[in-house]
Amino acid sequence: MRLKPWRPWRKWRARIDHPKPETNIAKKVHIHAYIERILPIYKLMDDVFSTTAQESDSVPSTREAHERQEDQQRPIHLESTAAVTTTTPAPSPRLRSLDAFRGLVIALMLLVNNIALDTATPLQLVHAPWHEMVRLADLVFPWFLLCTGIAIPFSAASYRKRGGPAWRYDLKLLGRCASLVLLGCLIESSLIRHPLLSLGVLQVIGFAFLIGAWLYDLPLARRLLIAAGLLTAYWAAIKFLPVPGMNVGILDEQHNLIWYLNSHFFAGGHFGELTLSLWGLPSIIPTAALVLIGTAIGDLLRITRLHVLTKSLLLIALGITLAWGGFQWNHSLLFSKAIWSPSYILLAAGTGTMLLGLFTVAIDAWPRVGLWSYPLTVFGANAILAYVAPILVKVYILEEWHLSHGQTIEQWGLSTLSAHWGPIVGGWSYTGLYMLGWWLILWQLYRKRVFIRV
């Protein structure tokens, strides 16, 4: 008989290429044995209930009797029993490419909000004026909305896996929306040092998230149809609805339907010490459509039977299609962040989807090669904290606390660095050190697996 050669490396390679899936299946323990192990005093009660059941129903099977006899002869170990009968579902792994993309958005937000170069600030870090092409600073906010929509399918699937009731999930959505609105009002009130209820960045994110999450129960085709309907109706209203004192079809910075609605109906007023302003309320319509587009991208990322490279190619192709649609729509209604034009929404969704596709192939397909994304992942894992905390610290500490020579901490740091390295290098150094300090704080939270959610 011919013996097969001993080649152990084949087994090792099979174990590496096809590892056994980790399972967390609890061993089935008979209810009678479980009660006896946890509290032996219940043995008498168990015998009484068992006797009653035998008399009223039927005699237990031979297998059950055999199992009971084995359980009675088995010694009692409280520690081991708890380990066997307690099951803890393994936490679902985070999508590194989404965390990295969200982290890039947060890093750009910090950069735009804390740039200290005055007139030397690069144009791409300044919002574009009316009638000019979209810049990088204009894409940061809609990219964050896109990330919000992409995360909704993962959050909904995680909740369904836990088996909670639907009404509790709705309360969770309402609570998150309320938390974002309150945090946004805190930021707006801190900036003007006066109580203010308004629609800022986080408030718009909260309402758009609530609409997108509530509509996520609908099939994918209906969600996309609703998103297209919202953008089309928004475009038609701006393009064709008459505005008092303005010509139909004439679009200017202060001569359009959105500006008219905001200035005449949503400007708000004062109620005692409180200022109320709903300026920007019409923007909930296109931003909700952007979140719905994000839910469709999230559904694509959750398809497990697709290879990572296939997902990335589909994301890039979808992004190119959306951006092309935005450029085509720009011929009818220009790109504008001020009015959140549909062409601007599609351009932001397309460029963000293309970036996510590149991140997917560079990070999820080749994890070792994607180690460069670790700094971005740290920012993205605690995105809301990374956005809110630097603003509040800047407002209440850096711009408020004065040193002995009369300068604030921000003025002292910026002037010191500028005196040593000049205004350009000093300004970049100040911004970079502030971002680095917050990255180190978020890194400590990331190392300890602390993720703050609202």
Side-chain angles (χ1 to χ4, degrees):
M1 181 178 65
R2 184 178 180 183
L3 298 177
K4 295 183 179 179
W6 186 61
R7 297 173 179 174
W9 57 85
R10 290 188 174 180
K11 295 183 179 180
W12 300 338
R13 177 178 295 179
R15 291 176 182 176
I16 294 175
D17 295 339
H18 305 285
K20 295 182 179 180
E22 296 181 1
T23 57
N24 188 14
I25 303 176
K27 296 181 179 179
K28 294 182 179 180
V29 181
H30 199 273
I31 184 62
H32 302 280
Y34 175 75
I35 295 176
E36 291 175 2
R37 294 177 189 179
I38 300 301
L39 292 175
I41 195 173
Y42 283 166
K43 182 176 180 180
L44 179 61
M45 297 175 59
D46 179 63
D47 293 336
V48 173
F49 289 128
S50 300
T51 304
T52 305
Q54 291 175 9
E55 292 176 355
S56 59
D57 297 333
S58 60
V59 180
S61 61
T62 306
R63 181 179 179 182
E64 292 179 352
H66 182 66
E67 289 180 356
R68 174 172 297 186
Q69 183 178 2
E70 289 182 350
D71 292 336
Q72 292 175 353
Q73 295 176 358
R74 191 178 302 140
I76 299 174
H77 300 287
L78 296 178
E79 296 81 7
S80 62
T81 304
V84 170
T85 57
T86 302
T87 59
T88 303
S92 57
R94 299 182 64 89
L95 191 62
R96 292 179 55 194
S97 57
L98 180 58
D99 276 343
F101 178 53
R102 189 189 293 115
L104 174 65
V105 174
I106 293 298
L108 289 174
M109 281 185 172
L110 288 174
L111 183 60
V112 172
N113 292 338
N114 298 281
I115 194 71
L117 297 177
D118 200 15
T119 57
T121 303
L123 289 179
Q124 290 299 322
L125 299 181
V126 181
H127 293 290
W130 188 267
H131 281 307
E132 286 196 13
M133 185 61 185
V134 176
R135 298 174 183 173
L136 179 61
D138 301 317
L139 296 173
V140 176
F141 188 8
W143 282 352
F144 196 89
L145 284 165
L146 184 67
C147 292
T148 302
I150 295 173
I152 288 176
F154 295 92
S155 176
S158 177
Y159 186 82
R160 285 196 297 266
K161 187 182 298 184
R162 293 194 296 267
W167 62 266
R168 186 172 296 175
Y169 181 69
D170 292 337
L171 289 180
K172 178 182 177 181
L173 299 181
L174 288 172
R176 186 177 186 187
C177 175
S179 300
L180 289 173
V181 170
L182 292 177
L183 282 175
C185 291
L186 174 62
I187 291 177
E188 300 295 330
S189 301
S190 301
L191 292 175
I192 65 172
R193 306 296 199 279
H194 184 79
L196 173 64
L197 293 179
S198 64
L199 291 179
V201 173
L202 291 182
Q203 296 93 313
V204 172
I205 292 175
F207 287 119
F209 159 78
L210 182 63
I211 296 174
W214 266 348
L215 295 179
Y216 179 68
D217 289 337
L218 298 176
L220 175 60
R222 292 188 181 181
R223 276 181 278 138
L224 293 179
L225 185 61
I226 291 175
L230 290 176
L231 293 178
T232 304
Y234 192 76
W235 163 80
I238 296 175
K239 194 72 176 177
F240 302 111
L241 282 184
V243 180
M246 305 179 190
N247 296 326
V248 178
I250 303 299
L251 193 65
D252 201 359
E253 186 173 4
Q254 295 184 356
H255 294 82
N256 58 78
L257 176 64
I258 306 304
W259 180 87
Y260 179 82
L261 293 176
N262 286 328
S263 59
H264 287 76
F265 299 100
F266 305 130
H270 297 276
F271 299 91
E273 295 296 328
L274 179 66
T275 302
L276 176 64
S277 174
L278 297 179
W279 188 286
L281 186 62
S283 64
I284 302 298
I285 297 174
T287 53
L290 180 57
V291 172
L292 288 174
I293 295 174
T295 60
I297 299 172
D299 285 340
L300 174 61
L301 291 174
R302 288 192 65 248
I303 300 177
T304 56
R305 64 178 180 271
L306 290 180
H307 193 270
V308 177
L309 292 178
T310 305
K311 290 182 183 180
S312 62
L313 291 177
L314 289 176
L315 288 173
I316 294 173
L318 178 60
I320 294 174
T321 304
L322 290 172
W324 177 82
F327 276 103
Q328 296 301 315
W329 214 336
N330 181 53
H331 297 298
S332 176
L333 189 61
L334 76 164
F335 297 127
S336 175
K337 183 181 182 297
I339 62 174
W340 290 86
S341 60
S343 56
Y344 167 70
I345 292 291
L346 292 184
L347 177 64
T351 53
T353 306
M354 283 189 285
L355 269 178
L356 182 59
L358 294 176
F359 275 39
T360 301
V361 68
I363 299 173
D364 295 337
W366 297 293
R368 293 184 179 179
V369 181
L371 293 177
W372 59 269
S373 64
Y374 182 78
L376 298 178
T377 304
V378 171
F379 274 129
N382 281 293
I384 298 298
L385 177 66
Y387 174 75
V388 174
I391 296 178
L392 296 181
V393 169
K394 182 179 179 180
V395 170
Y396 288 107
I397 297 180
L398 299 183
E399 296 179 349
E400 191 71 21
W401 292 5
H402 289 76
L403 302 178
S404 57
H405 46 74
Q407 288 183 321
T408 63
I409 297 178
E410 182 182 36
Q411 293 172 345
W412 171 79
L414 186 57
S415 60
T416 302
L417 293 173
S418 300
H420 284 81
W421 296 323
I424 304 299
V425 179
W428 279 112
S429 301
Y430 175 83
T431 304
L433 289 174
Y434 191 62
M435 294 178 63
L436 177 61
W438 280 108
W439 185 89
L440 292 175
I441 294 174
L442 297 171
W443 175 60
Q444 291 296 326
L445 297 176
Y446 186 81
R447 285 179 61 247
K448 297 179 181 178
R449 313 303 293 174
V450 176
F451 305 112
I452 300 177
R453 297 287 182 266
V454 293

